[in-house]
Each structure stands twice: as structure tokens, then as C-alpha cells.
Amino acid sequence: MSVTSARSAPLPPAILLMGPTASGKTAVAIELARRFPVELVSVDSAQVFRDLDIGTAKPDAATLAEFPHHLIDLIDPPDAYSAARFRADALAAMAAITTRGKVPLLVGGTMLYFKALVEGLVDLPPADPPTRAEIDRQAAARGWPALHAELAKIDPVTAARLPNTDSQRIQRALEVFQVSGRPLSALIAAGARPAPAYAFLSLGLLPSERRVLHQRIAERFDAMLAAGLEVEVEMLRRKYALRAEMPSMRCVGYRQVWEVQQGLAPRHELRDLGIYATRQLAKRQITWLGNSLRPQTFDCLAADLLPKVVTAVRSFLG
């Protein structure tokens, strides 16, 4: 992604604010909204689900009333949401914001969505429920690491960038190959849609010390448990027809609570399981930022974080 001066570019400006979980993105975005004519657009694959509030760290009602976020609470937990749909929804929201004379400020931690927005998307085969069901059956019998090894044989490029426990993306890569007969990486290399007509300022919040970020992650998960994350999952299971393989129940935190409530993991391990999974998520997000998205970076632990980000935004907007 390139950082382009809004003053010299004929394109309308848009700001991307990205970072790992617990890096303080929402707080920074709200402070920017206090100072600049921006509207906030959520870039979060978990916050699109209605009723997933505690475990997604969704802004509370008072915050949303004062600083509305586009692309929050779009679908019910049994439904699925894709990067392609995010791109379409985000571009529609951005166009409306620009028409109102404001600047879109896209904030979140779903790095695939940021990449899809800026670099475009390949036209991939749609989901095929029977194929997915068969892949899930094999995973239940053999485990996701075994299916990852199978993926490595047919699509080593995709397999190399996925952890062998990333069930959702392993499933999708195998599904694409089985439906199309071509590896996902080959389809991606064949070409993507044009990038949107915006001048982007890409800002990344990264920790100078992983240890401190890990402490923040632990504190945040403890706060979620104290706020009633387990009760929230119980409510979701009563209200909706949910299954473990649904994207909503694969979200970090929800998956671990689900497993405990289903008797697949002991209750006393819930805290450690949730913190570990969140730390792994943060690690993947940081890797995305460094290897693919490459924004202008700021230390999310620094005392002068906000003034530095404000200066960058002010310079960009002119």
C-alpha cells in the first residue's frame, strides 16, 4: 500500500488504521474522529455478527451512538461473510462517506479484508456446501494438520502461508481445488480486480515489546470472561441454530468457550486456551502487517502514539 498526499492527488482520501488485537486501534480511531472529519468503517470479520458483542470487543452502545461504525452487526451468527462481500460493502460505505464530504477511516484487525479492499479480489468459485461437508468429515476423522499436509501436495504456495490449524482457510483452499481443479494460489496469481480509486494513508499500530502486548491480551480476555463471555455463548446457542464449524463459532474466544461448554476441554483451561489463541491471532496479524500490507508503523505502546498518528493524518489531509 502506498501513502499518497491527499492534497496533490486527484483521488479522494481514505485512511486505513490496522493492528493486532489489543493494540488500541479503536481508541485511536475515536480520538481521530474527534479531531478530523472522518466516519468510521469497521474492518473486523467477527464484529459483522449480531449478538457477538463481548468476545469481539465490539464498541459499546454509548460509543456507537457518539461515533457510529459502518459494517458492524450486519448478519446473524449462523450466516457467513466473505472478503468479497466486505469489499463491496466497504466500497459502498466509502462512496457514501465521500459524498457527504467526509473521509472514510477504516479500522480493524482483519488483514485479509484490508488486502482485499486495496489490492482487489480474484473471482473464486462460490462456496460448495457438499464439498465443505466432506472436508469437515475428513477433518473430524484425521485432523486439520493432516488436511494441511494434503493441501501442501496440491497447493504448496497456499499451504506455506497457513498454520496447519487454520481450519477455515485450509477448508477453503481444498474446496477451491476440488471445485475448480486449480490451486487457490494459481487462481490468485491469474489476476485481481482493480484497486479502488482512493488515495490511501495506511497506518499500522505495532508493539515494540511483544511481552507487553501479551499482557494486554491476557487482561482483555480476563475482562471478557468477567463481562460474561460464557453466558453470551450460552445465549447464542439458545437463540440460533449454531454448529462448531460456523465462522461465528470459529472466532477466537467463542471457539474456546464452545469447546468447554461441549465438554471438549476442561473448564479450568478456558482462560489459558483463550489467551493462547488470541496471542496466536495477534502473531498472524503482525506477520500480515510486516510481510504483505506494510503500512506506516507506530509503536502502539508509546506514550506519544496519539500525537504522532494525529500528525500523520493532519499532514495527509492537508
Side-chain angles (χ1 to χ4, degrees):
M1 300 182 188
S2 62
V3 177
T4 308
S5 170
R7 288 178 294 182
S8 62
L11 301 176
I15 301 167
L16 310 180
L17 180 62
M18 57 194 78
T21 185
S23 60
K25 300 179 296 294
T26 298
V28 171
I30 288 173
E31 289 303 321
L32 291 176
R34 296 184 192 278
R35 293 165 168 79
F36 300 101
V38 302
E39 289 188 31
L40 305 181
V41 181
S42 172
V43 186
D44 191 303
S45 61
Q47 292 184 359
V48 299
F49 294 108
R50 301 184 189 98
D51 292 326
L52 269 69
D53 299 329
I54 297 172
T56 64
K58 196 176 291 179
D60 60 29
T63 301
L64 292 175
E66 186 175 2
F67 302 100
H69 287 52
H70 299 268
L71 308 192
I72 282 181
D73 293 337
L74 299 181
I75 60 175
D76 288 336
D79 300 329
Y81 194 79
S82 66
R85 180 173 170 186
F86 166 78
R87 189 175 198 267
D89 289 347
L91 288 174
M94 293 167 69
I97 293 168
T98 300
T99 299
R100 289 190 286 271
K102 301 289 187 68
V103 176
L105 170 54
L106 294 94
V107 56
T110 302
M111 305 307 169
L112 175 63
Y113 285 7
F114 280 116
K115 187 176 179 66
L117 173 67
V118 175
E119 298 184 7
L121 283 167
V122 176
D123 189 14
L124 297 175
D128 186 75
T131 300
R132 289 194 170 187
E134 174 59 21
I135 294 170
D136 283 336
R137 187 193 67 77
Q138 293 184 29
R142 300 163 53 200
W144 286 108
L147 268 64
H148 182 271
E150 182 178 310
L151 176 63
K153 296 176 183 177
I154 60 176
D155 188 354
V157 174
T158 299
R161 65 178 177 82
L162 298 179
N164 65 4
T165 55
D166 192 341
S167 57
Q168 187 170 357
R169 291 183 176 85
I170 293 170
Q171 180 196 61
R172 179 57 174 156
L174 289 171
E175 175 190 40
V176 167
F177 180 78
Q178 293 178 23
V179 170
S180 70
R182 299 182 64 192
L184 175 62
S185 58
L187 292 176
I188 291 174
R193 297 172 188 171
Y198 284 87
F200 286 106
L201 172 67
S202 300
L203 307 174
L205 307 186
L206 288 172
S208 53
E209 294 184 61
R210 294 282 184 98
R211 175 186 57 81
V212 179
L213 183 68
H214 292 169
Q215 181 180 341
R216 284 189 179 185
I217 286 171
E219 292 171 352
R220 189 164 84 156
F221 193 72
D222 284 340
M224 289 176 178
L225 291 175
L229 178 59
E230 294 172 88
V231 174
E232 182 173 84
V233 175
E234 291 174 354
M235 177 275 294
L236 291 168
R237 294 174 60 192
R238 289 194 303 269
K239 185 174 181 179
Y240 302 101
L242 297 174
R243 300 190 306 275
E245 67 270 17
M246 289 177 171
S248 60
M249 292 300 101
R250 289 179 175 177
C251 293
V252 168
Y254 291 92
R255 176 185 295 184
Q256 288 70 42
V257 173
W258 178 284
E259 291 175 349
V260 166
Q261 293 182 351
Q262 291 292 96
L264 302 175
R267 171 66 180 75
H268 70 271
E269 292 184 5
L270 174 57
R271 179 179 184 271
D272 289 343
L273 290 171
I275 291 171
Y276 176 78
T278 309
R279 285 172 59 168
Q280 292 301 108
L281 170 62
K283 182 179 178 181
R284 293 194 297 272
Q285 291 169 318
I286 291 170
T287 299
W288 267 94
L289 286 170
N291 294 349
S292 181
L293 298 171
R294 298 179 182 175
Q296 178 181 348
T297 60
F298 300 83
D299 180 6
C300 67
L301 308 178
D304 60 351
L305 168 64
L306 184 60
K308 287 185 175 180
V309 173
V310 167
T311 297
V313 172
R314 183 175 289 117
S315 176
F316 173 70
L317 296 178

